[in-house]
Amino acid sequence: MAGEKRLARTRNIGFMAHIDAGKTTVTERVLFYARKIHRMGEVDEGTTVMDWMVQEQERGITITSAVTTVEWKGNTLHIIDTPGHVDFTMEVERSLRVLDGAIAIFSAVEGVEPQSETVWHQADKYHVPRLAFVNKMDRLGANFFETVRMMTDRLGAHPLIIQIPIGMEDRFIGVVDLIRSRGIVWDEHSLGTEFREIAIPKEIEEEASFHRSKLVESLAELDDPLTEKYLNGEEISETEMKGVLRKATISMKAVPVLCGAALRNQGIQPLIDAILDYLPSPLDIPPVHGAHPVTGEKEERMQEDEAPFSGLAFKVLMDEGRKLVYIRIYSGVLKVGEGVYNPRLRKSEKISRIFQMHANQRTRAEEAKAGEIVAVMGLKETTTGDTLCAQGRPILLEPIDFYKPVMSVAVEPKTGRDQEKLAQSLEKLSDEDPTFQVNLDEDTGQTIISGMGELHLDVLVNRLMTEYHLEVNVGRPQVVYRETVEKEAEASFKFARELEEAKLFGEVFLRISPNVRGKGIEFHSEVLEEILPPDCLLSIEEGVREGATVGVVMGYPMTDLRVTLLKANADPSHPSPLALKIASSNALREACRKAQPVLMEPMMEVNIIVPEDFMGEVVGDLKARKSSVEAITPKGRITLIKAISPLTRMFGYSTDLRSLTQGRGTFSMLFSRYDKMIG
């Protein structure tokens, strides 16, 4: 019972928005008014608690999601402040996967911006209920009602206005609470800690009355008992309105909209109250679902302390060489010194420490319970997206979807002695960030790092320099082509040589033909086993595959060939596998020269999400890039475009797409196949 009461007073929430809408500023005010911090930091000064990384303070942006916990009126709020730049959208994705509710922050000047749409659709994907907070009401050009209209038009949301501003731009002084029909104004000299309730100012009485009537009407449509009272003209109480609005918010039928000016410390306390009033506690959301890792049978866990332990590792942080794993606990209790089972690894790992996090500061705890977000040490092999559970009651939870990197650069240390240190540092960075990948290109010998965009890679390279004290050169990766043939051809090669009094002889006849794209090299033999010993046949195949590593056009590896062994001659008394291997390698090259060899380039599968208004321009641009558009799928106000594009034509596409769509388009790109080079 005590656990249930605690969970009812718990909220796991996150702030999400387009870059510069004011997420971190709002979060900083929440921490200040909840007395978690004693001085408010400012983003522009690089002094905020939640933007603790050097890169964040220097650039004035949030790069990594930061976790903290505050108390408000006897309730516990676990808060995640997420980045707003598209290059760090994975941070938002993995945060939303473990949150019960979110606050979408919009600038009253710009309204619904591109990344606002992206994070909104991410929240839809994970069925996360949310509130909307229209920030920057004090700025020149602020327009509260236009922002609300954009929420409907661009996001397909059902916003319910529960506050309207008193004044706008430099005349903004407070808000009207439509549910209680009272005004709230803040004292600027007290840093917003002091505010008072007032009667609704006469000049906006009519406007407030209109919007309250609309709110009551909208709520009545969502609840049958309320509909009856509304139609009978009965008075609807504050408690009834809040109860219906809470249900509508949790079921994602409505989004309560509030407003304020965080930089001027106005509107924050009612926002925290609204988080408690309308966003769900762990008890309000369904039990967490998963599958038994062995049998595949469906499993579920009630969100309570008494249930078997289950949790999801959603973030990894390397802190001075030590691995810190952030976990959302869905059920049960986690204790220091206990073992937890990882179904992906099929092994247990021991929890050595548990921390309550406050950005990069931590407080040790002996245990953590259902509904909490904590960081732990001791999990050496656990990574982002892993399920952790009780050994005797295993469950595999829905994992986190990772975005594929879309941009790559080559890096090398400025001094050769740092090569090993570079590899170790890159491994640590990729442990933290699932969208950051490191590959060694065997063809060029380059270390290739891949990420979500230019800013993402720039931040990672800077971290190599500042955190790992590595000086690196950054270049552009060389595209590695492939070669194949377009016709069928036959060729033979005879190898005969004396080596240390031994006669080496082998003659091979091959037929080659084009293979299906992506099939690679397939080898077949028409020679009977009685004629050719198995070791000789194996040597011929080895010779074919080795010969294909260097093509006949520009020396790139060959692929998508169907090679058939027609005939082979060897010394009957002393067959030489080496001679046959050399002969087959040369026969392959000779056949390729006759079979119209061509150069192939890497083709990428590109998935693009754009507002429907920009679909035509984006498709036209793809065709100009010699891309083939495979599918166009309308989905509400957005359109999904799937295309196959040559990699060489996709450099800089991130910037071009943003330009084409006023910054509202996003895309992901992954390797599809090699295909004939387009002129």
Side-chain angles (χ1 to χ4, degrees), residues 99-116:
L99 291 174
D100 300 332
I103 300 91
I105 298 174
F106 302 97
S107 164
V109 181
E110 289 84 6
V112 176
E113 297 175 272
Q115 187 64 3
S116 311

Side-chain angles (χ1 to χ4, degrees), residues 210-267:
F210 169 75
H211 285 291
R212 190 178 195 279
S213 297
K214 276 187 72 176
L215 175 62
V216 171
E217 185 181 333
S218 298
L219 290 173
E221 289 173 3
L222 296 167
D223 183 76
D224 290 342
L226 215 62
T227 305
E228 200 172 322
K229 289 190 81 170
Y230 177 73
L231 293 174
N232 291 335
E234 296 176 39
E235 185 65 32
I236 295 171
S237 71
E238 177 188 330
T239 305
E240 286 173 314
M241 289 176 72
K242 282 187 172 181
V244 173
L245 184 53
R246 178 178 177 79
K247 280 183 190 173
T249 306
I250 292 171
S251 61
M252 295 179 62
K253 292 178 181 173
V255 179
V257 184
L258 302 91
C259 59
L263 201 60
R264 278 173 54 179
N265 313 310
Q266 296 168 317

Side-chain angles (χ1 to χ4, degrees), residues 592-651:
C592 286
R593 288 190 184 96
K594 295 179 182 178
Q596 199 172 320
V598 292
L599 205 59
M600 295 206 301
E601 62 184 329
M603 305 296 289
M604 312 301 287
E605 180 185 307
V606 187
N607 292 287
I608 307 163
I609 301 174
V610 294
E612 56 186 355
D613 301 351
F614 301 103
M615 191 265 290
E617 289 95 327
V618 171
V619 169
D621 177 68
L622 285 169
K623 288 182 177 172
R625 293 172 189 270
K626 310 288 186 184
S627 306
S628 63
V629 177
E630 307 274 292
I632 298 173
T633 311
K635 193 177 178 183
R637 290 172 174 78
I638 60 170
T639 301
L640 310 180
I641 302 169
K642 180 181 176 182
I644 301 294
S645 304
L647 175 60
T648 49
R649 309 274 178 145
M650 295 306 289
F651 287 118

Side-chain angles (χ1 to χ4, degrees), residues 164 176-178 181 200-201 203-214:
I164 62 169
V176 172
D177 181 338
L178 295 177
S181 294
I200 298 172
E203 61 270 22
I204 59 169
E205 261 183 358
E206 193 176 323
E207 185 180 35
S209 176
F210 169 75
H211 285 291
R212 190 178 195 279
S213 297
K214 276 187 72 176

Side-chain angles (χ1 to χ4, degrees), residues 483-485 487 489-494 508-512 521 540 542-559 561 563 580-598:
E483 296 181 22
T484 193
V485 298
K487 288 185 176 179
E490 293 181 10
S492 64
F493 191 89
K494 183 193 292 184
V508 173
F509 296 79
L510 296 176
R511 179 173 64 235
I512 66 166
I521 295 172
I540 291 172
E542 283 178 6
V544 165
R545 295 193 181 280
E546 281 187 21
T549 58
V550 180
V552 296
V553 181
M554 292 180 67
Y556 288 107
M558 305 203 71
T559 189
L561 300 177
V563 182
L580 289 166
K581 182 177 178 179
I582 294 169
S584 66
S585 183
N586 282 281
L588 177 84
R589 295 177 62 78
E590 190 60 39
C592 286
R593 288 190 184 96
K594 295 179 182 178
Q596 199 172 320
V598 292

Side-chain angles (χ1 to χ4, degrees), residues 53 55 58-59 63 88 408-414 422 425-426 429 433 436 447-451 453-475:
M53 286 177 66
Q55 292 286 321
E58 287 178 353
R59 296 168 189 263
I63 290 169
F88 307 104
S408 304
V409 294
V411 294
E412 62 179 21
K414 287 190 175 176
L422 174 65
S425 304
L426 290 173
L429 288 173
D433 187 347
F436 174 56
T447 298
I448 307 294
I449 61 171
S450 306
E454 292 170 64
L455 178 61
H456 186 200
L457 292 174
D458 186 42
V459 165
L460 289 162
V461 168
N462 269 283
R463 288 187 64 190
L464 284 175
M465 297 176 183
T466 55
E467 293 175 32
Y468 295 95
H469 311 293
L470 270 169
E471 291 293 320
V472 293
N473 294 318
V474 182

Side-chain angles (χ1 to χ4, degrees), residues 34-48:
R35 299 184 179 178
K36 185 76 177 184
I37 56 176
H38 303 296
R39 179 181 176 276
M40 286 182 283
E42 302 299 344
V43 173
D44 294 344
E45 297 169 10
T47 55
T48 61

Side-chain angles (χ1 to χ4, degrees), residues 61-72:
I61 61 170
T62 303
I63 290 169
T64 184
S65 50
V67 178
T68 190
T69 303
V70 301
E71 300 292 323
W72 184 260

